[in-house]
Amino acid sequence: MPTIFSRAQLMLNGSLHYREIDEAVLAQALAAAVMCAILAAAGPQRSHVLATLYKDERCSKLKIYSILQKVYLERILRKPEIDAFAEELKPHQKALLPDNFTVLDHAMIEYTLLSASKLYKNISFDELGTLLGIPPQKAEKTASTMIFKDRMRGSLDQVEGVIHFEDDTEERQQWDEQIMGLCQALDDVLDSMAKKGLPFPV
């Protein structure tokens, strides 16, 4: 069984190895990361990863950067753009799932639904189905799943056949403010340690 020391040595060796990766391999790795993020289930975690990749200047050189930019900015994607992105995917990423939809289909349906939640206060299941290009029942089920898993804010009125979206802007602003406050507190602690000549923890 590996010791803590041997594990640490393996990590260091791995670090040295990754430093030697050339730009072409790095570009492939970044492109794969972008593809995985776009294909991931829509929600806060995916948004965080998309933000990280979008702000990484190395990603701006990728062929699929325009798709990353639109998805991050929550802009509606047109079919030619989706088709162009599909051409960059691996065969397993385009395979049909049991419901006869691909991983890309699911990702784009959820992405468009999340984008719609920013544009509409409410929308009927029929209109939502038309917008997503799927049957109303499928649109309702997708929305219900996303709401249940806290990947989208809203509620379903099954009597009226309408989904009501909730604005989470204020909640996100509070979250951002909390993060800024934590970073400021950490900066203050580090400044205080520097003034006292104390070493920084690594």
Side-chain angles (χ1 to χ4, degrees):
M1 186 145 183
T3 63
I4 293 176
F5 176 78
S6 63
R7 286 178 182 171
Q9 189 60 45
L10 285 171
M11 292 296 180
L12 290 173
N13 291 341
S15 176
L16 292 173
H17 170 71
Y18 284 117
R19 284 187 61 190
E20 297 170 359
I21 294 178
D22 60 34
E23 291 186 6
V25 176
L26 179 59
Q28 289 178 356
L30 284 172
V34 171
M35 289 179 187
C36 288
I38 292 174
L39 293 174
Q45 290 182 329
R46 174 177 179 261
S47 298
H48 176 71
V49 174
L50 286 171
T52 301
L53 291 168
Y54 178 71
K55 293 172 183 177
D56 189 329
E57 60 181 20
R58 297 171 298 181
C59 288
S60 63
K61 301 174 183 177
L62 299 176
K63 184 179 179 180
I64 57 176
Y65 177 73
S66 60
I67 298 292
L68 169 62
Q69 185 178 45
K70 282 202 167 186
V71 173
Y72 169 70
L73 297 174
E74 298 180 341
R75 295 175 182 167
I76 299 296
L77 292 173
R78 302 190 182 280
K79 191 175 186 304
E81 295 172 315
I82 296 174
D83 290 342
F85 176 68
E87 292 178 1
E88 303 297 320
L89 300 178
K90 305 294 183 184
H92 71 275
Q93 294 172 322
K94 295 186 282 187
L96 282 176
L97 299 175
D99 60 359
N100 289 323
F101 285 85
T102 66
V103 174
L104 177 60
D105 291 334
H106 280 286
M108 291 299 100
I109 287 170
E110 291 190 356
Y111 166 71
T112 304
L113 179 51
L114 201 59
S115 297
S117 72
K118 312 295 182 184
L119 300 173
Y120 298 91
K121 289 186 176 180
N122 55 67
I123 188 172
S124 71
F125 297 151
D126 288 338
E127 291 174 322
L128 184 60
T130 300
L131 178 65
L132 301 177
I134 58 177
Q137 297 82 359
K138 174 80 172 173
E140 177 187 357
K141 184 177 180 180
T142 302
S144 175
T145 299
M146 292 179 67
I147 292 171
F148 177 75
K149 293 184 176 180
D150 289 328
R151 293 194 278 117
M152 183 176 69
R153 301 287 298 277
S155 60
L156 300 179
D157 184 338
Q158 294 179 322
V159 175
E160 297 293 330
V162 172
I163 176 173
H164 298 276
F165 298 114
E166 296 176 11
D167 185 7
D168 62 351
T169 302
E170 183 177 346
E171 184 175 311
R172 281 185 289 162
Q173 288 177 341
Q174 290 177 347
W175 177 251
D176 289 343
E177 288 173 1
Q178 289 175 352
I179 292 176
M180 289 176 62
L182 179 61
C183 291
Q184 184 60 55
L186 181 59
D187 283 343
D188 292 342
V189 170
L190 293 177
D191 286 343
S192 176
M193 292 176 67
K195 290 176 181 177
K196 295 177 181 178
L198 298 174
F200 291 165
V202 179

